């Protein structure tokens, strides 16, 4: 069993994304990108009282923009973010869905131009709970359970 | 409330969803000025028609509208005649048009192609139909025809008959009519019923509607009957098309079951869903509706180019 210490080793400066849906950590990293000077810890399928299982990401010396964090909400609406400075949590908040989602999810319509030409997808969030998004190109509406990531 | 028509200068006409009820009414009101109107207010302006799919009415009526206002037209009418055959994207083709024309109309089989073209081009882009998605100028002319024949768009009882699944004109029209407290009646075989996502939107807006497979369940209620062709080209399985192709054929008998001032509309082309015996009756509005297409497109060209009468 992995020790608690290993899971929560302290960051000096950076950001922790907690309560990611189990299995989503790698997708989130792919989406956020990793720069050469990032130190990154990945936790997957940790036990969680709230969620059963969850993933965690810790970024040393990385400031995440609010926009980046909100996009994480698309793949994991329960995600929470802690901003760490000098070993202290200076800000903690829940990711919230942006009004518009660019380039993260794939349109389910095979005849949509985004699936046929090189075009970054754009969706507008019409409903947050339950999630309903609409493609800004072909206007097809998709529910949360139909969403596939690019 | 009086709308400022100047705001439509430079506007792209991509989806009826982009227009409010007030916008729609202002545009239709302005379009009335263009009936039988031929003055060279668009002299020196060029319309590019990028038609990647066949079209008769849309393409010709845009050309007629532009020419009757003194403008010129260039373009192509099949994908094979354009650089798309060489792999050029919609974006690049539309971007290039900035140097060739003052406004462009695009018809394309891919859904969202017109929106993509509008991102590329600085000149106004008008969607002449993108796959099964939107055909907003058809919707404007359908609404114009209703307004002209009924004097109002409010509280009309509108029947939609035929292919409600694949027909983009019925999707856009139902969305637009939801602005005007319409009562809608969707008449289609099970295989071609209105998509659930559109019905869900109507429910959200508390728009009353009913679905049936039998026209005569609802025909006596109707102010407008909007008939569509069952489109062979949209069916993935030809056998499914054979099952439903002749399911509704309207003829003179229809008139025994309807209000005397019912108007029958059809975006055309028709195949056999409206028998020619109906053409001579005052209820048959579809040819006038087609003529209205030129009127409405003249108004839209004038508005987006910012040259108004």
């Amino acid at each position: 069993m992995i020790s608690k210490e290993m899971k929560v080793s302290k960051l000096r400066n950076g950001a922790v994304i907690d309560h990611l849906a189990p299995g989503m950590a790698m997708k989130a990293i792919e989406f956020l990108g990793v720069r050469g000077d990032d130190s990154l810890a990945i936790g997957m399928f940790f036990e969680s009282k709230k969620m059963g299982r969850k993933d965690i990401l810790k970024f040393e010396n990385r400031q995440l923009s609010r926009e980046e964090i909100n996009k994480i909400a698309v793949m994991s609406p329960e995600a929470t973010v802690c901003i760490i400075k000098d070993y202290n949590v200076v800000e903690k908040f829940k990711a919230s869905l942006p009004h518009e989602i660019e380039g993260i999810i794939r349109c389910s319509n095979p005849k949509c131009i985004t699936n046929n030409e090189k075009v970054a997808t754009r969706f507008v969030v019409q409903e947050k709970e339950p999630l309903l998004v609409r493609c800004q190109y072909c206007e097809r509406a998709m529910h949360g359970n139909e969403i596939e990531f690019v | 409330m009086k709308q400022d028509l100047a705001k439509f200068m430079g506007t792209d006409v991509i989806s009826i969803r982009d227009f409010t009820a007030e916008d729609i009414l202002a545009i239709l009101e302005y379009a009335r000025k263009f009936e039988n109107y031929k003055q060279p207010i668009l002299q020196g302006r060029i319309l590019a028609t990028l038609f990647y799919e066949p079209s008769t009415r849309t393409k010709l009526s845009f050309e007629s509208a532009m020419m009757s206002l003194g403008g010129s037209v260039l373009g192509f009418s099949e994908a094979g005649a354009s650089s798309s055959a060489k792999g050029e994207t919609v974006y690049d083709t539309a971007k290039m048009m900035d140097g060739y024309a003052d406004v462009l109309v695009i018809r394309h089989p891919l859904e969202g192609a017109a929106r993509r073209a509008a991102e590329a081009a600085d000149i106004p882009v008008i969607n002449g139909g993108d796959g099964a998605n939107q055909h907003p100028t058809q919707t404007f002319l359908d609404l114009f025809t209703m307004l002209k024949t009924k004097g109002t768009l409010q509280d009309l009882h509108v029947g939609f008959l035929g292919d409600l699944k694949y027909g983009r004109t019925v999707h856009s029209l139902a969305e637009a009519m939801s602005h005007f407290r319409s009562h809608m009646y969707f008449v289609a075989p099970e295989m071609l019923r209105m998509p659930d996502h559109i019905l869900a939107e109507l429910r959200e807006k508390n728009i009353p509607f009913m679905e049936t497979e039998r026209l005569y369940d609802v025909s006596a209620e109707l102010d407008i009957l909007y008939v569509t062709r069952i489109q062979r080209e949209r069916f993935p399985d030809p056998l499914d098309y054979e099952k439903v192709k002749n399911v509704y054929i309207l003829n003179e008998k229809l008139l025994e079951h309807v209000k005397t001032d019912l108007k029958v509309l059809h975006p055309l082309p028709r195949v056999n869903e409206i028998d020619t015996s109906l053409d001579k009756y005052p209820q048959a509005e579809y040819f006038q509706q087609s003529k209205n297409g030129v009127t409405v497109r003249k108004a839209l060209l004038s508005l987006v180019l910012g040259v108004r009468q």
Side-chain angles (χ1 to χ4, degrees), chain B residues 230-274:
Chain B
I230 296 188
Q231 305 172 87
R232 181 201 302 260
E233 65 273 23
R234 303 271 181 221
F235 278 77
D237 183 347
L239 281 178
D240 284 343
Y241 171 73
E242 291 300 319
K243 282 182 206 160
V244 293
K245 67 177 184 183
N246 293 325
V247 70
Y248 302 113
I249 296 177
L250 301 185
N251 54 32
E252 289 167 291
K253 280 178 97 176
L254 169 77
L255 304 177
E256 297 166 15
H257 303 271
V258 297
K259 294 178 187 172
T260 52
D261 62 350
L262 169 82
K263 294 295 179 189
V264 178
L265 274 58
H266 190 306
L268 304 180
R270 68 173 161 185
V271 182
N272 61 353
E273 58 277 7
I274 300 179

Side-chain angles (χ1 to χ4, degrees), chain A residues 54-123:
Chain A
K54 67 177 182 179
D55 288 3
I56 301 178
L57 290 174
K58 293 182 175 185
F59 289 89
E60 180 95 51
N61 296 325
R62 169 97 180 246
Q63 297 302 312
L64 296 174
S65 70
R66 180 65 73 136
E67 195 185 13
E68 286 176 311
I69 291 160
N70 288 348
K71 285 178 180 173
I72 293 293
V74 180
M75 52 186 80
S76 197
E78 297 299 315
T80 54
V81 178
C82 292
I83 307 296
I84 313 288
K85 281 189 182 156
D86 285 332
Y87 300 108
N88 293 313
V89 176
V90 293
E91 200 180 350
K92 182 173 182 176
F93 50 88
K94 197 165 181 281
S96 68
L97 280 168
H99 173 65
E100 192 165 317
I101 304 166
E102 271 191 60
I104 309 174
I105 56 185
R106 189 190 309 281
C107 183
S108 62
N109 175 6
K111 291 198 74 185
C112 179
I113 187 142
T114 60
N115 288 318
N116 292 273
E117 292 195 359
K118 198 176 172 194
V119 185
T121 60
R122 284 199 292 128
F123 288 83

